[in-house]
């Protein structure tokens, strides 16, 4: 992805072992979908001529030998790589060429399942269609498991980011229409390749990919049987404006106006993280560098009293009174000019000094969020030729930004709050009643999309299902984890296997085992893993509102077996 203009990069990935226990007793009242059955690929290269779909061109179909592609050092089996485009056109406003680019990877030995890989950022690249089982690079993937997988650029090329926002149709394709157009085409291509369509279909991604997944849950509840959403930025335009709100707050205390990070340095963030641990680490029964009881921690920790206030110069061991005044509203939740909160609060957690926090808090609002708000979502969009991201973010009122993403006109007939957001995300009766399942995970220390926002969504879902949605949707908070991965956390896990077992076997996931990515990890080490941890420390991820707590008498703080969800 083009780094200067991605909105929601998935910087690091995660994946690992699974613990999917518990039967399907709690969802006996819902349909149980049958398991998929596999098939063999008849021919690859013939697909260029054999398959036909409206407004679609298959540009190539190439056999890929086993081991040619590897993920985390693991060779991927033989498969067919199909590349193509849908709906080519010329933009009426900017004269640019647009199309929905895609690739599909079809295993020679297919398991009967289809995975729609929703990519992050503002899309624009057709990345390898492998199908991550959580936030990104990991030890397993859908393609390796035998799924057919599709990946797309969502209707524009990376060279057009973020200026594609001047084209009304490109906005809509990015928001929701590309996925809706690709779905029947992909299922048709699978049927052409194997002689039958997919028995079971899954949709998943992290960050903006999580938003795509939420959109699919509400706009395509009949098309997919399982939805796997990570760090779902399902209110992305509002989250971006909230991040700009944070930048404006940091600017008031930055010692170098050209560097927002001087308003809240790495050392100061580490001091706050340490203070959070001192107050909250033991709440789950184990002093282990992880805050499992996130809810209790927010009640226990107070920025004003638990972090020292500098009596003299800032030296990294304290926060000045002005800093506390500037930073507190970022955590409590961004507000408009009238003091009304328009986005969620952010919880205090142990990963606030994680490696990707400075990127999201100090770079993204000036370069990425500005482009999104000013060019992709605002009505009317700014002029790409003269647009200055930092000046826009620091010089435009929050109220003006909020008004622009809610606006429409004769050219841009859908507001960003329509084409980007899922429609009624707490009303999921259609997918529920047909036996489909939802799994959502979110890092507690995510600094761009708030886990509190996802928690509020799940609480709304519970309220609309007589107080309990666990028979079709489960939500897992990942302590310490930053955006999709990273942070002092156990960020490597496999949610896809758990989802398949739930959909096709009725085995609801009572926990999912997550591991740390210490030195030597095949998917890449996480630099935020504390030196005192085992390189493969493990923990159960618990379905909200349960919390991982130390078992009575357990002493091994490196093993998930010492903890239980309750």
């Amino acid at each position: 992805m083009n780094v200067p203009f991605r909105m929601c990069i998935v910087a690091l990935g995660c994946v690992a072992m699974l613990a999917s226990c518990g039967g399907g007793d709690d969802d006996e009242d819902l349909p149980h979908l049958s398991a998929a059955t596999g098939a063999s690929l008849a021919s690859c290269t013939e697909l260029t001529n054999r398959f036909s779909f409206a407004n679609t061109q298959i540009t190539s179909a190439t056999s890929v030998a086993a081991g040619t592609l590897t993920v985390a050092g693991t060779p991927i089996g033989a498969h067919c790589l199909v590349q193509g485009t849908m709906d080519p056109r010329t933009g009426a406003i900017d004269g640019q060429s647009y199309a929905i680019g895609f690739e599909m990877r079809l295993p020679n030995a297919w398991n009967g399942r289809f995975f729609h890989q929703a990519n992050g950022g503002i899309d624009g690249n057709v990345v390898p269609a492998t199908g991550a089982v959580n936030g990104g690079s990991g030890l397993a993937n859908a393609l390796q498991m035998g799924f057919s997988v599709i990946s797309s650029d969502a209707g524009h090329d990376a060279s057009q980011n973020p200026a594609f926002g001047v084209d009304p149709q490109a906005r809509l394709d990015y928001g929701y229409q590309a996925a809706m157009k690709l779905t029947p085409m992909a299922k048709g291509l699978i049927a052409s390749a194997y002689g039958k369509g997919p028995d079971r279909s899954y949709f998943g991604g992290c960050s903006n990919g999580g938003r795509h997944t939420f959109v699919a849950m509400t706009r395509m509840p009949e098309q997919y049987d399982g939805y796997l959403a990570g760090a779902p930025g399902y209110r992305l335009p509002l989250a971006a404006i909230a991040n700009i709100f944070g930048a404006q707050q940091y600017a008031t205390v930055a010692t170098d106006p050209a560097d927002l990070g001087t308003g809240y340095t790495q050392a100061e963030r580490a001091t706050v993280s340490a203070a959070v641990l001192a107050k909250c680490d033991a709440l789950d029964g184990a002093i282990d560098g992880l805050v499992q009881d996130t809810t209790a921690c927010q009640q226990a920790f107070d920025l004003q009293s638990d972090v020292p206030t500098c009596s003299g110069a800032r030296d990294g061991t304290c926060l000045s009174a002005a800093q506390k005044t500037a930073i507190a509203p970022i955590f409590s939740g961004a507000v408009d000019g009238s003091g009304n909160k328009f986005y969620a609060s952010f919880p205090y957690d142990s990963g606030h000094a994680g490696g990707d926090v400075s990127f999201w808090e100090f770079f993204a609002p000036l370069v990425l969020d500005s482009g999104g708000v000013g060019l992709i979502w605002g009505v009317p969009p700014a002029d790409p030729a003269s647009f200055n991201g930092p000046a826009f973010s620091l010089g435009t009122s929050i109220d003006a930004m909020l008004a622009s993403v809610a606006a429409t006109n004769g050219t841009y007939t859908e507001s960003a709050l329509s084409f980007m957001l899922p429609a009624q995300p707490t009303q999921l009766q259609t997918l529920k009643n047909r036996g489909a399942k939802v799994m959502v995970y979110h890092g507690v220390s995510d600094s761009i999309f708030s886990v509190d926002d996802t928690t509020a969504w799940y609480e709304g879902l519970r309220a609309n299902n007589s107080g309990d949605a666990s028979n079709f949707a489960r939500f897992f908070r990942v302590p310490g984890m930053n955006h999709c991965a990273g942070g002092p956390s156990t960020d490597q896990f496999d949610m896809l296997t758990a989802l398949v077992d739930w959909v096709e076997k009725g085995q609801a996931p009572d926990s999912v085992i997550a591991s740390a990515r210490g030195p030597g990890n095949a998917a890449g080490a996480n630099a935020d893993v504390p030196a005192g941890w085992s390189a493969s420390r493990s923990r159960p991820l618990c379905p909200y509102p349960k919390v991982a707590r130390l078992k009575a008498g357990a002493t091994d703080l490196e093993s998930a077996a010492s903890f239980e969800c309750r």
Side-chain angles (χ1 to χ4, degrees):
M1 185 172 297
N2 187 359
V3 172
F5 294 110
R6 62 192 173 181
M7 279 301 304
C8 305
I9 182 177
V10 177
L12 297 171
C14 36
V15 91
M17 302 181 301
L18 155 80
S20 176
C21 26
D25 293 344
D26 60 340
D27 61 348
E28 286 181 346
D29 57 323
L30 298 177
H32 282 171
L33 301 177
S34 60
T37 58
S40 297
L41 182 67
S43 174
C44 175
T45 55
E46 291 180 3
L47 289 173
T48 54
N49 297 319
R50 189 170 69 205
F51 177 69
S52 177
F53 195 87
N55 301 315
T56 301
Q57 180 181 7
I58 302 299
T59 55
S60 65
T62 307
S63 295
V64 180
T68 303
L69 176 66
T70 62
V71 178
T74 300
I76 303 300
H79 61 279
C80 180
L81 170 60
V82 179
Q83 296 172 309
T85 59
M86 291 188 75
D87 290 350
R89 60 185 179 80
T90 300
I93 294 177
D94 58 6
Q96 292 283 311
S97 295
Y98 290 98
I100 302 170
F102 67 89
E103 75 167 39
M104 284 196 72
R105 293 181 184 260
L106 309 172
N108 288 14
W110 178 50
N111 66 10
R113 301 180 180 97
F114 165 48
F115 188 88
H116 194 135
Q117 173 181 312
N119 297 320
I122 51 173
D123 290 285
N125 286 310
V126 180
V127 301
T130 56
V133 297
N134 65 358
S137 58
L139 300 178
N141 56 82
L143 182 62
Q144 176 191 344
M145 296 174 181
F147 287 71
S148 291
V149 184
I150 191 170
S151 166
S152 86
D153 61 13
H156 61 273
D157 184 81
S159 65
Q160 298 166 324
N161 287 342
F164 76 85
V166 304
D167 182 82
Q169 184 58 49
R171 289 185 173 202
L172 301 182
D173 283 339
Y174 168 60
Y176 67 95
Q177 290 188 6
M180 297 182 72
K181 295 171 184 176
L182 288 165
T183 294
M185 184 280 298
K187 290 184 177 184
L189 180 58
I190 289 171
S192 181
Y194 298 105
K196 71 165 193 171
D199 296 316
R200 294 288 161 252
S201 298
Y202 296 82
F203 197 111
C206 195
S207 187
N208 181 55
R211 181 197 67 84
H212 279 303
T213 306
F214 267 47
V215 169
M217 284 157 45
T218 61
R219 291 186 182 268
M220 294 185 285
E222 306 92 350
Q223 294 297 318
Y224 293 89
D225 306 304
Y227 301 82
L228 177 58
Y234 71 101
R235 297 199 296 160
L236 180 50
L238 299 179
I241 297 173
N243 208 36
I244 292 173
F245 170 89
Q248 293 182 359
Q249 294 294 111
Y250 289 130
T252 66
V253 289
T255 58
D256 179 356
D259 181 5
L260 290 180
T262 61
Y264 193 23
T265 67
Q266 172 68 28
E268 291 165 341
R269 298 197 305 276
T271 292
V272 172
S273 293
V276 173
L277 280 175
K279 199 74 173 183
C280 301
D281 195 353
L283 294 175
D284 52 30
I287 300 177
D288 59 356
L290 285 168
V291 178
Q292 298 286 352
D293 198 339
T294 299
T295 302
C297 182
Q298 307 320 300
Q299 300 299 317
F301 180 80
D302 182 78
L303 182 69
Q304 296 297 331
S305 60
D306 293 326
V307 175
T309 302
C310 301
S311 57
R314 290 168 48 189
D315 62 1
T317 66
C318 57
L319 295 180
S320 69
Q323 282 181 295
K324 289 184 176 182
T325 298
I327 293 166
I330 299 173
F331 282 99
S332 61
V335 296
D336 63 18
S338 299
N340 299 309
K341 185 186 293 188
F342 64 87
Y343 189 64
S345 56
F346 283 81
Y348 293 103
D349 194 43
S350 62
H352 191 49
D356 79 348
V357 172
S358 62
F359 173 87
W360 290 112
E361 302 230 351
F362 309 130
F363 175 80
L366 303 184
V367 180
L368 311 184
D369 300 325
S370 57
V373 176
L375 295 170
I376 302 173
W377 305 317
V379 173
D383 180 359
S386 59
F387 184 72
N388 182 305
F392 175 86
S393 289
L394 297 180
T396 306
S397 75
I398 295 299
D399 286 358
M401 295 183 199
L402 291 170
S404 74
V405 301
T408 62
N409 63 21
T411 301
Y412 304 95
T413 58
E414 288 190 49
S415 78
L417 300 187
S418 171
F419 72 77
M420 288 296 292
L421 274 61
Q424 297 183 306
T426 61
Q427 302 285 348
L428 301 180
Q429 282 77 10
T430 299
L431 70 83
K432 171 186 176 179
N433 291 337
R434 39 178 303 271
K437 308 298 182 189
V438 174
M439 291 179 67
V440 179
Y441 60 92
H442 203 145
V444 178
S445 291
D446 192 327
S447 58
I448 180 63
F449 299 141
S450 173
V451 71
D452 287 351
D453 201 34
T454 307
T455 302
W457 160 77
Y458 193 70
E459 288 288 4
L461 192 67
R462 295 174 77 194
N464 285 332
N465 288 274
S466 302
D468 185 7
S470 64
N471 60 349
F472 76 101
R474 297 199 176 188
F475 167 45
F476 300 80
R477 300 194 291 196
V478 188
M481 190 170 84
N482 290 163
H483 185 54
C484 290
S489 64
T490 53
D491 68 350
Q492 191 168 76
F493 47 87
D494 175 2
M495 288 272 179
L496 181 57
T497 299
L499 182 58
V500 170
D501 286 346
W502 195 9
V503 169
E504 301 181 26
K505 299 178 182 179
Q507 296 175 351
D510 290 338
S511 67
V512 173
I513 298 300
S515 299
R517 292 183 294 117
N521 189 278
N526 171 12
D528 295 324
V529 172
W533 290 14
S534 162
S536 57
R537 168 183 280 199
S538 60
R539 288 289 185 276
L541 302 180
C542 300
Y544 176 87
K546 292 183 178 179
V547 171
R549 300 188 187 278
L550 190 67
K551 294 178 180 177
T555 58
D556 184 359
L557 297 184
E558 302 304 322
S559 173
S562 297
F563 295 80
E564 60 186 358
C565 296
R566 63 177 193 268

